[in-house]
Amino acid sequence: MPARAGIVVRTRHRPAFLRRALGDIAAQRSDDWQVVVVNDGGDAAEVDALVDEAALGDRVRVVHIAPGDGGRCVAANAGVRALETEYVVLHDDDDRWHPAFLERTVAWLDAHAAHAAVSAATEIVYEENRGGTWVEVGRAPFWAGMSRISLGEMMSVNRAVPISVVYRRRLHEEIGWYDETLDAVEDWDLYLRMLRDHEIGFLAGEPLAFWTQRPDSVGLDANSMFGLAAEHARDDAVVRDRALAEWVHREGPGLPLYLASLQTQLAAHVDEAVDRLRAELREDVRREIDAHQPLLSRVRRLRSRLRR
């Protein structure tokens, strides 16, 4: 009988992070899980050795993707397809969990049959490389005060990250797989498709998921939101344009055209207001100078005359 929770670990050329991720999974209070490590174009022997070192037995398997054949979405799909579990979660190699994460998220989904997925309260953990070791240097809540996963808020910006979301694997049969035409925002795109017809629950309170960030890192050590910033911006627009095209095809261009016109007018009003405020501030500063620094004021007026 397969395990209840399936964990997909995407990794590429990051042995220190992979070792930490496997240890993080092994520390879960729940042991009803199966892991698929997806080596996305990295050194196969190195990944196999790290998996053997973790000593997780037959609860872990490795899928190797040849260099150039993978990518974030390809790796995610390959990992999920290799699972036969009821629930799925993406545990990227650099992120972490509270030991109760799987225990509490699986219990939530068992108790809320109408929910397609559940997201846990998340904390951002900032790290720096000091002497070859990743050291935590600070923490901050991710969307402090959030109490639910809202479709309206999700349309504005992604309110969940993969390390925090456990979902029902069967959903892929209904809403499709991770979109392999995207290089980023694949999780946000999937959540939007989920939320069309389903709810995503939310476990508020103590953070159970830890999203690590390394703003100053580059190359393979960088987070996707920093290392793939251009891809994030481009694919965010792709997802929005695709949804807009669906609306226009179904309802016509009238409402989007009207809203676009309002947005242009609002932007013009804001620009005018900012220009007026800047002019008023400059005038206020000049009055203060004239009142308190008369000599400096006379020098400024003289220089102005000489420029004419």
Side-chain angles (χ1 to χ4, degrees):
M1 181 176 178
R4 301 288 310 288
I7 306 163
V8 176
V9 179
R10 297 180 289 189
T11 189
R12 182 166 70 96
H13 291 306
R14 304 205 298 190
F17 288 141
L18 177 57
R19 179 181 288 110
R20 185 174 73 179
L22 294 174
D24 187 63
I25 293 167
Q28 287 295 293
R29 291 178 191 168
S30 169
D31 61 0
D32 196 5
W33 47 260
Q34 177 186 358
V35 181
V36 173
V37 175
V38 183
N39 171 30
D40 186 10
D43 185 306
E46 180 180 63
V47 171
D48 288 338
L50 286 168
V51 169
D52 289 342
E53 176 190 307
L56 299 178
D58 60 3
R59 290 195 292 173
V60 59
R61 60 173 296 195
V62 181
V63 173
H64 295 292
I65 299 176
D69 290 345
R72 293 173 57 81
C73 299
V74 172
N77 286 334
V80 176
R81 286 190 173 107
L83 291 166
E84 297 179 355
T85 54
E86 183 177 357
Y87 304 130
V88 172
V89 56
L90 301 187
H91 185 313
D92 286 336
D93 60 8
D94 57 338
D95 294 326
R96 288 149 47 192
W97 282 333
H98 186 285
F101 176 85
L102 284 178
E103 180 181 74
R104 293 184 58 188
T105 51
V106 167
W108 176 281
L109 289 173
D110 285 346
H112 298 80
H115 288 178
V118 62
S119 175
T122 304
E123 195 166 47
I124 299 171
V125 177
Y126 296 103
E127 296 182 322
E128 289 181 1
N129 192 322
R130 295 181 178 175
T133 301
W134 290 102
V135 177
E136 180 180 323
V137 295
R139 293 193 176 208
F142 180 60
W143 296 114
M146 188 169 72
S147 60
R148 60 187 293 265
I149 299 294
S150 158
L151 175 58
E153 292 175 339
M154 192 68 81
M155 284 184 172
S156 174
V157 65
N158 195 356
R159 296 293 184 112
V161 285
I163 191 64
S164 76
V165 178
V166 180
Y167 63 92
R168 302 182 192 277
R169 187 190 181 283
R170 60 176 169 76
L171 278 168
H172 286 295
E173 300 170 9
E174 176 187 340
I175 66 174
W177 296 84
Y178 290 99
D179 184 350
E180 295 182 6
T181 69
L182 301 174
D183 293 317
V185 308
E186 72 283 353
D187 52 325
W188 178 57
D189 174 63
L190 190 76
Y191 305 152
L192 288 173
R193 283 185 271 145
M194 282 187 195
L195 287 165
R196 288 178 178 179
D197 298 302
H198 303 283
E199 287 186 69
I200 296 178
F202 185 70
L203 269 167
E206 178 186 17
L208 299 178
F210 304 103
W211 181 26
T212 63
Q213 292 189 13
R214 298 168 298 282
D216 296 329
S217 295
V218 295
L220 293 172
D221 288 337
N223 298 92
S224 67
M225 68 173 294
F226 300 112
L228 298 176
E231 289 84 350
H232 270 265
R234 182 196 64 220
D235 286 349
D236 181 283
V238 166
V239 171
R240 294 179 190 280
D241 284 349
R242 189 165 54 198
L244 180 60
E246 290 177 6
W247 169 277
V248 170
H249 180 75
R250 186 177 63 253
E251 306 290 345
L255 182 59
L257 283 173
Y258 179 68
L259 293 176
S261 175
L262 288 181
Q263 181 184 25
T264 301
Q265 293 176 41
L266 178 60
H269 288 316
V270 169
D271 288 343
E272 291 174 6
V274 169
D275 288 342
R276 285 197 303 270
L277 180 59
R278 286 174 176 164
E280 291 170 3
L281 287 173
R282 282 196 296 269
E283 188 59 31
D284 287 344
V285 169
R286 286 173 181 169
R287 289 197 191 99
E288 286 295 313
I289 292 173
D290 288 344
H292 301 289
Q293 299 288 342
L295 178 60
L296 184 59
S297 179
R298 285 196 293 270
V299 170
R300 177 174 54 78
R301 286 196 295 268
L302 179 60
R303 290 173 65 183
S304 179
R305 290 172 187 164
L306 291 173
R307 289 197 193 102
R308 294 175 184 171

